[in-house]
Amino acid sequence: MIEKRNFYINGTWVAPSAPNDFEVINPSTEEPCAVISLGAQADTDAAVAAAKAALPGWMATPVEERIALVEKLIDFYQSRSEDLAQAMSLEMGAPIDMARTQQSGAGVYHLANFVRAAKSFQFDRPLGDHAPNDRIIYEAVGVAALITPWNWPMNQITLKVGAAAIAGCTMVLKPSEQSPLNAMIFAEMMDEAGFPAGVFNLVNGDGVGVGSRLSAHPDVDMVSFTGSTRAGTAISKSAADTLKKVHLELGGKGANVVFADADEKAVKRGVLHMMNNTGQSCNAPSRMLVQRPIYDQAVETAAEVANVVSVGSAQEEGRHIGPVVNEVQWTKIQDLIQKGIDEGARLVAGGTGRPEGLNKGYYVRPTVFADANNQMTIAREEIFGPVLTMIPFDTEEEAVEIANDTPYGLTNYVQTQDGARANRMARVLRSGMVEMNGQSRNAGSPFGGMKQSGNGREGGLWGLEDFLEVKAVGGWAAE
């Protein structure tokens, strides 16, 4: 049993103010794998106070030095990538091979992209040739509360910490209590890299306790949150009393629009993308809209692909999907699969219950529904499991209408060989991101959504700007 009962505050590991133990469950076995302490108000206040005290010195540190520390962090990160992968596999169920490549690898990727963006970013610039005595200065927002989820832990931690650190913000990180071990390893790396005391602080806790206190804290200038839309709404309301800046990266119900002229691998690619990370991705292509001439074949292909997706323990090597994170999520997914059946969608793969041969662990059968419509619950709600909903359409206009008929707006996908149509779709789909024909976005591309998928952007230049305030100066004197 791993024990992680201390918090990282003001450059040192400190015991919690009061004992409040929480068992972290290995979702592959349903057995406890670690015990952590959940923070109380006193712990949260101490972390915020440390960040507030460190802010003036960190803001005044030349940006070149802040960038150099992030580069040093990358070195330590790479040296401990296996530790991170093992932790994430154990605590949130990412298959170990996938944890080594995608889950752990995401951190280095984002940190390197921030370094690249920062080296070309003008933090202090003239307004323009028309106003030689006006300056635009980008400075840190201030003390930033970073609240991260369990599904892509290092992806989200590095997207927030890397940008905040380079921008000159000081931080309090509250990782998900479901997957805290990787965050504590990350705190060790921040310490080893030599970030000044108070710049980075970590307090474990749940949303009701530490999360709520951070959202309402008068000395927190910004909250950057990734998680459910429900929690994002609560954070926004809590933060409103102090008018702090709020960045939200929330849920999604992405449409994958497959036209009749899509390439022959489009359907298979879409199913496998949906099943990646056991469907626990906010940008998963969970609604597959298929043009009617190829719809029947697409359904057949999707069922075949889903039926050969293997499910197994996260600690086993190989290409398979693992369990979902916990019993609450497993039960929710089971209820939604049953809801799809009850509402009349045609089940063509998977279904309720655990996969054959797995009687323990939070495993879900890779599931595909066909003949759904966009008013069904499985087409409206974010399932956050390996469940794909297929909907037929006739015309491009109908596809756009169905795709946009959702409260979410994170990522949509388009599959067509008609370049002009692909570009038309990209312009009219109401989402923060659009990916076409299996082409993912490149390094430094901003991640974020519209509508109830949140606000703000993460990654690269846009991620840096989210942690910066714009200061306009008139009458700048020549030095």
Side-chain angles (χ1 to χ4, degrees):
M1 181 78 70
I2 300 169
E3 293 191 3
K4 296 282 189 178
R5 300 175 186 268
N6 289 350
F7 306 143
Y8 186 74
I9 299 175
N10 204 29
T12 189
W13 292 94
V14 299
S17 61
N20 187 10
D21 286 350
F22 177 86
E23 284 189 335
V24 180
I25 304 299
N26 177 350
S28 292
T29 64
E30 301 184 38
E31 299 295 331
C33 63
V35 177
I36 63 167
S37 290
L38 300 182
Q41 180 173 327
D43 306 299
T44 309
D45 290 348
V48 173
K52 182 179 179 181
L55 181 62
W58 186 239
M59 286 180 64
T61 300
V63 67
E64 294 78 12
E65 293 182 24
R66 301 198 298 257
I67 293 171
L69 275 174
V70 173
E71 289 179 311
K72 196 173 180 182
L73 172 64
I74 292 173
D75 293 336
F76 284 103
Y77 189 108
Q78 291 174 319
S79 71
R80 300 201 63 182
S81 61
E82 179 65 16
D83 294 340
L84 290 168
Q86 293 288 345
M88 289 183 282
S89 180
L90 182 69
E91 62 194 341
M92 56 76 57
I96 186 60
D97 285 353
M98 182 261 193
R100 287 172 176 144
T101 54
Q102 297 181 49
Q103 290 279 5
S104 180
V108 169
Y109 178 79
H110 293 310
L111 292 174
N113 287 337
F114 283 131
V115 167
R116 184 185 305 111
K119 287 183 176 180
S120 62
F121 186 80
Q122 288 183 281
F123 289 83
D124 185 328
R125 65 183 73 170
L127 175 62
D129 293 340
H130 70 290
N133 297 323
D134 279 39
R135 304 288 294 184
I136 301 297
I137 299 173
Y138 290 84
E139 70 179 31
V141 171
V143 175
L146 314 178
I147 305 175
T148 56
W150 47 261
N151 61 320
W152 287 94
M154 271 299 110
N155 185 80
Q156 294 307 128
I157 288 173
T158 53
L159 277 171
K160 298 181 191 302
V161 172
I166 291 174
C169 293
T170 54
M171 296 155 269
V172 178
L173 171 65
K174 189 209 84 67
S176 170
E177 69 275 21
Q178 305 293 331
S179 58
L181 303 179
N182 67 90
M184 300 187 83
I185 295 170
F186 185 83
E188 293 171 0
M189 295 187 295
M190 292 290 287
D191 184 72
E192 292 167 344
F195 282 84
V199 169
F200 172 86
N201 307 273
L202 178 145
V203 178
N204 281 312
D206 56 20
V208 174
V210 175
S212 295
R213 179 60 179 164
L214 286 171
S215 301
H217 203 293
D219 290 333
V220 169
D221 301 296
M222 174 181 178
V223 178
S224 179
F225 169 78
T226 301
S228 70
T229 298
R230 175 193 53 78
T233 300
I235 285 171
S236 297
K237 291 177 179 178
S238 181
D241 287 340
T242 50
L243 292 176
K244 55 174 57 69
K245 185 175 183 179
V246 178
H247 169 115
L248 301 172
E249 201 280 282
L250 308 176
K253 195 66 181 177
N256 185 7
V257 184
V258 183
F259 286 96
D261 68 341
D263 68 271
E264 61 180 12
K265 295 181 179 179
V267 173
K268 178 180 179 179
R269 185 170 63 237
V271 176
L272 294 178
H273 190 173
M274 177 65 238
M275 302 301 168
N276 188 47
N277 203 37
T278 319
Q280 300 171 120
S281 301
C282 50
N283 62 340
S286 53
R287 292 181 296 155
M288 184 179 286
L289 281 50
V290 183
Q291 200 161 25
R292 209 170 294 274
I294 63 165
Y295 177 75
D296 291 342
Q297 180 58 55
V299 170
E300 184 178 327
T301 299
E304 290 173 353
V305 173
N307 283 328
V308 297
V309 172
S310 60
V311 184
S313 170
Q315 280 72 68
E316 294 177 2
E317 296 188 352
R319 296 183 64 183
H320 59 276
I321 65 173
V324 295
V325 71
N326 57 29
E327 184 178 9
V328 171
Q329 289 295 122
W330 188 87
T331 301
K332 173 193 170 188
I333 294 164
Q334 299 303 310
D335 290 346
L336 284 166
I337 293 173
Q338 186 60 52
K339 191 82 167 178
I341 296 169
D342 294 343
E343 291 185 355
R346 178 161 59 101
L347 184 69
V348 297
T352 57
R354 290 178 174 84
E356 187 176 348
L358 295 169
N359 58 10
K360 194 172 187 181
Y362 303 122
Y363 300 102
V364 176
R365 298 171 68 189
T367 297
V368 177
F369 282 104
D371 303 350
N373 64 64
N374 209 47
Q375 302 315 309
M376 291 180 176
T377 304
I378 56 173
R380 306 301 298 178
E381 294 189 16
E382 186 179 38
I383 298 174
F384 230 59
V387 181
L388 176 67
T389 300
M390 300 184 72
I391 302 172
F393 72 90
D394 290 302
T395 66
E396 181 178 326
E397 292 72 22
E398 184 186 7
V400 171
E401 183 179 353
I402 296 171
N404 287 342
D405 180 21
T406 173
Y408 296 107
L410 189 57
T411 313
N412 285 308
Y413 303 82
V414 179
Q415 318 298 328
T416 179
Q417 298 302 295
D418 183 334
R421 176 161 58 193
N423 292 344
R424 284 197 304 272
M425 292 291 291
R427 289 189 174 96
V428 296
L429 289 171
R430 293 285 295 158
S431 56
M433 297 168 286
V434 179
E435 297 184 5
M436 298 185 283
N437 298 318
Q439 179 66 50
S440 60
R441 296 164 301 106
N442 281 309
S445 177
F447 188 102
M450 302 176 181
K451 300 190 283 185
Q452 291 186 26
S453 288
N455 53 53
R457 294 294 182 268
E458 292 186 316
L461 174 64
W462 290 269
L464 282 176
E465 289 182 340
D466 249 22
F467 286 89
L468 293 167
E469 295 280 19
V470 177
K471 178 184 288 182
V473 180
W476 187 265
E479 298 180 8

